Amino acid sequence: MADTLTVTDNRTGKQYELPIKDGTIRATDLRQIKTADDDGGLATYDPAFMNTAACRSRITYIDGEKGVLEYRGYPIEQLAEQSTYLETAYLILFGELPTSEQLADWTKQITLHTMLHENIKKLMEGFQYDAHPMGVFVSTVGAFSTFYRDAKQIFDDHSRQKQIHRLIAKVPTIAAYAFRHSIGRPYVYPDNELSFTGNFLNMLFRMTELKYQVNPVLERALEVLFILHADHEQNCSTSAMRGIGSSHVDPYSAMAGAAAALYGPLHGGANEAVLRMLKEIGTVDNIPGFIKRVKAGEGRLMGFGHRVYKSYDPRAKIIKRTADAVFEVTGRNPLLDIALELERIALQDEYFVSRRLYPNVDFYSGLIYQAMGFPVTMFPVLFAIPRTAGWIAQWEEMLLDPEQKIARPKQVYVGHGRRDYVPLSNRS
Ligand code: SDX
């Protein structure tokens, strides 16, 4: 049997053989299917890209039916158990686990780039004290493009490498400064003697002590959470990163757009929406009424459902286990009881079962963040920090892919036919 698709156009009776490769046909192969010479040929119509591959990628593999997630072939469960975020970011960006020398050099490079230009700090001070940290994050990342003009040299390997170091290193500092600004506390400068996550905790929570004492359980919990959020193939924000980057703009401007996409409550903003939902439910007794309203279409069970996972999101399983370790230190988050009961009910309810809706990465992560002392508005920022590694890796893969060019999809025009201008005096 050949790897081809035989298509008969019943409008003309003509047959076409379309090659099948990697489970796809090339959309441009459909152009030959015409009814007349001046016919532009067939195209695919796929709103929200429900069944369209936009690229070939070697970075992340997901099997939604089996709940499988692998970065460069390594199972997420093993990375969460044995790796660190910086090591995983290296793997995602460069394709292989680093040797000890490579990891030491990578860590040194990142550590040396954690500080922000003082003018960036001044820029952030211009925001209202109650500005949403994600709005601050999106704006500040975009502003980086005005500070690092060499970033426009996107086809210069050395320049790209420098921007990669800057972005991975500086996003925790932006996040911490946005948090400290929102609570009126002074900025805490990076402490380069601490780990990536230890320094993040330092910049967030150090008060008057000279040296911040990192809690190893919380430090490790952040490592695991950052590993789990680092990449997820062609999700909405990564598609935005690739699409914006395809115009050959600098990576900071592209990432500002990606972060803006992540901000949405259907995507990375879902972890914030989950906590607001749990607070709105208030008690376990209110769950049946809430479920009834969701089933009536009066809102969604935030943190449930996924475009790809039609089984339990493997990241949610790991996060649920990590929550237990964190609560040992911070005390149990009372909202956990509501989340657990909500999950128990939803996993047996026909409405959710028939739509294959399971907890996703955002369902439990917010409970941990809240227990660690983060306000809900910081949750999407905590998603953006590690996803920076995925965004940049996917951006660079797009840039270096000879098959890629500026993204410009077609449309199906359903508007008015040609008509003449009507002078203002003649309009009713
Ligand atoms: C992330 O893509 C990624 O990889 C994203 C992500 C990543 O790492 O980058 O994994 C991170 O964004 C996780 C998802 C976080 N979002 C939420 O938790 C928000 C709640 N979930 C949804 O809104 C929804 O499930 C999506 C957006 C995640 C997926 O939407 P789809 O695939 O477009 O599904 P759909 O909206 O077409 O829903 C299919 C059906 C609909 O019912 P019917 O119209 O068929 O009757 O399922 C229903 C929806 O109403 N449905 C839900 C629901 N999610 C879908 N009903 C109630 N609660 C929900 N959460």
Side-chain angles (χ1 to χ4, degrees), residues 143-364:
F144 271 13
S145 63
T146 67
F147 282 79
Y148 305 113
R149 296 183 191 82
D150 56 333
K152 289 187 189 303
Q153 315 310 321
I154 56 176
F155 290 105
D156 174 296
D157 293 355
H158 179 67
S159 169
R160 267 202 324 274
Q161 192 58 63
K162 213 166 27 167
Q163 314 323 324
I164 288 172
H165 289 148
R166 284 169 172 156
L167 274 167
I168 297 283
K170 295 180 192 298
V171 287
T173 315
I174 297 174
Y177 282 10
F179 172 62
R180 299 287 285 199
H181 179 74
S182 71
I183 53 176
R185 285 187 189 151
Y187 299 113
V188 174
Y189 285 85
D191 177 343
N192 291 345
E193 291 173 1
L194 299 174
S195 71
F196 185 85
T197 50
N199 173 48
F200 181 47
L201 290 167
N202 159 61
M203 294 189 291
L204 287 162
F205 300 122
R206 183 158 73 83
M207 294 305 283
T208 56
E209 67 273 30
L210 291 179
K211 186 81 175 174
Y212 181 72
Q213 294 307 309
V214 178
N215 180 307
V217 173
L218 303 186
E219 183 180 32
R220 182 61 202 160
L222 274 183
E223 292 286 353
V224 173
L225 285 161
F226 282 6
I227 287 167
L228 296 175
H229 286 82
D231 190 54
H232 212 239
E233 55 131 287
Q234 305 312 312
N235 58 84
C236 177
S237 53
T238 296
S239 302
M241 184 81 185
R242 282 177 169 258
I244 298 169
S246 73
S247 73
H248 290 178
V249 75
D250 69 271
Y252 300 111
S253 304
M255 194 173 122
L262 187 76
Y263 193 1
L266 293 186
H267 190 12
N271 52 20
E272 176 181 354
V274 167
L275 260 290
R276 295 184 192 280
M277 172 187 74
L278 295 176
K279 280 182 185 165
E280 177 205 329
I281 293 171
T283 65
V284 169
D285 297 341
N286 292 337
I287 291 177
F290 176 79
I291 292 276
K292 192 164 169 234
R293 287 194 297 279
V294 168
K295 289 160 67 172
E298 295 165 22
R300 291 199 162 192
L301 179 50
M302 301 312 275
F304 261 67
H306 200 277
R307 174 66 56 77
V308 178
Y309 290 123
K310 297 311 172 190
S311 59
Y312 215 103
D313 184 330
R315 300 168 296 176
K317 281 182 194 163
I318 300 168
I319 290 174
K320 205 171 164 185
R321 283 202 303 272
T322 306
D324 297 337
V326 169
F327 295 158
E328 284 292 312
V329 170
T330 62
R332 198 167 191 277
N333 190 326
L335 293 174
L336 178 64
D337 297 323
I338 300 175
L340 291 169
E341 179 60 9
L342 206 49
E343 176 185 346
R344 186 189 68 78
I345 294 177
L347 291 185
Q348 63 186 10
D349 185 299
E350 180 51 27
Y351 176 93
F352 299 94
V353 173
S354 63
R355 290 169 175 78
R356 306 181 76 184
L357 303 176
Y358 294 86
N360 60 46
V361 68
D362 292 308
F363 189 62
Y364 286 105

